[in-house]
Amino acid sequence: MSYSPDGQQYQPYRPEGQQPQQPYGDQYGRPSYGQQQPPYESQGGHQPPYGRPQPPYGQQQPYEQQAPYGQEASYGHEPEFEPEPRRKSRVKRWVIAGVSVLALGGIAAGVLAYYEIPPFTDKGSAVSFGKPPAGDGKKGDTAQQPASSKMLMPTGPAADFKNSMTLPDGTHVAVTTLDGKKSGFKGKVWVWAPKEYNDPKFAKSGFPVMIALPGGAGYPSNYWMGTDLGLQSSIAKWYGEGKSKPFILAMPVLNPGPDDKGIYWDGSDIPDQPKMGTWLTEDVPDLMKANFRTVKSRDGWAFMGSSTGGFAGLKAVLKHPDKFKAVIASGPDIVPDSSLWKGHDKEKAENNPEILAKQLIDRKGPDVYLAFQVGDSENNKKTLPDVQKFIATFGNKGPVHTDLRIIKGGQHNAKTYVPNMGEGPIQYISKVMEGPVE
């Protein structure tokens, strides 16, 4: 709607704030107030424009006197005021008003969605990750699975997953609170499955699982669950390009509390502390097996992590090679360094990747695949040399297979690591893993 600066409605063809100079009606060929209105016939029998007398009720204006469609009728004189601009102005006002209402409605909906106010968001709604390929989900359905199958049917019980966010392809990042039966720790786990998981083509297939661990405290959330870093969309893209397996992601909290005054837990079972190592390697995998079609063997299980999460994933694979086959460790620590290890040297050694790698080589297997990536501009200048030393000492010796990608200009952050995973590390581990399998 058009308005003058002071908020008053703008009047066309008239200086703002002024009245007409001639008496009312003179401009339009009408008598001034108090003068006798001429009879209709004096107007020539034509339909007048705005403000002119109408034909007597019941009489119809002769057809031949009507102006062609889209043209003004002739009244024997040049009209000083054209009605069309007024009609256009009114239409314009309605259009602007309608657009304004729609715009305000869109803004309001966006605000409500941002603040997660139903029904403008599906956050918090229940999420289901598909049905068993056979049967109705009742007890005994899993017994129908052939013993020769490489796929493990969901074992149950089903977790209560709530939607955390929805990706453009319609897949969901969902969250549940897991009460770890083996670790005794209770915390959140976010999960995501690629769209192929619900594709009828893969209805009887088990999918590989990647446990993604964050850096830092990794509490109270796991930053991989956010879509801003693009981990989920990248995996979907890489699978489409033939670079990656269609991994299901498990994204648990890494520590039992915030990193306060330098206290953290290394993703390990430190004496007298919550058993975070058991949480990551036992409870979280059990959750995934209970709710998803997975791969029976270790060939379908891997870790991925950055910084502290890279250390925890590296250590988990070397400590439990019977359960996990590969890891992508980005900018990882190589040895445990939590102050909580003080006084527990034996347990600390049992969680040291250097010692674990040597023991695995001495045992001659099973084979593990360790994909490292490190930026050459990391803030900790020891990170790259420490990784290079580890690879030189243990890499590609016996069952310990290693690969290193040095990221030119790369820094110590997830935004550096995710895109570079697609340039080597994800292919490296995908070549040796299985899934989808039947």
Side-chain angles (χ1 to χ4, degrees), residues 241-252:
E241 295 172 346
K243 295 180 178 179
S244 173
K245 297 293 185 183
F247 290 102
I248 299 172
L249 292 179
M251 299 162 278

Side-chain angles (χ1 to χ4, degrees), residues 83-129:
E84 187 61 21
R86 180 180 296 271
R87 288 197 293 268
K88 290 181 178 179
S89 178
R90 288 177 178 175
V91 171
K92 182 178 180 181
R93 291 184 211 137
W94 281 108
V95 169
I96 294 175
V99 171
S100 299
V101 169
L102 291 174
L104 290 173
I107 293 171
V111 171
L112 293 171
Y114 178 82
Y115 288 102
E116 299 164 3
I117 300 175
F120 297 93
T121 178
D122 58 357
K123 183 170 183 177
S125 59
V127 174
S128 173
F129 288 97

Side-chain angles (χ1 to χ4, degrees), residues 228-249:
D228 56 323
L229 295 173
L231 179 59
Q232 295 85 2
S233 58
S234 294
I235 289 176
K237 174 177 175 289
W238 295 331
Y239 175 65
E241 295 172 346
K243 295 180 178 179
S244 173
K245 297 293 185 183
F247 290 102
I248 299 172
L249 292 179

Side-chain angles (χ1 to χ4, degrees), residues 289 341 355 368:
K289 292 174 184 178
W341 289 113
I355 295 174
V368 294

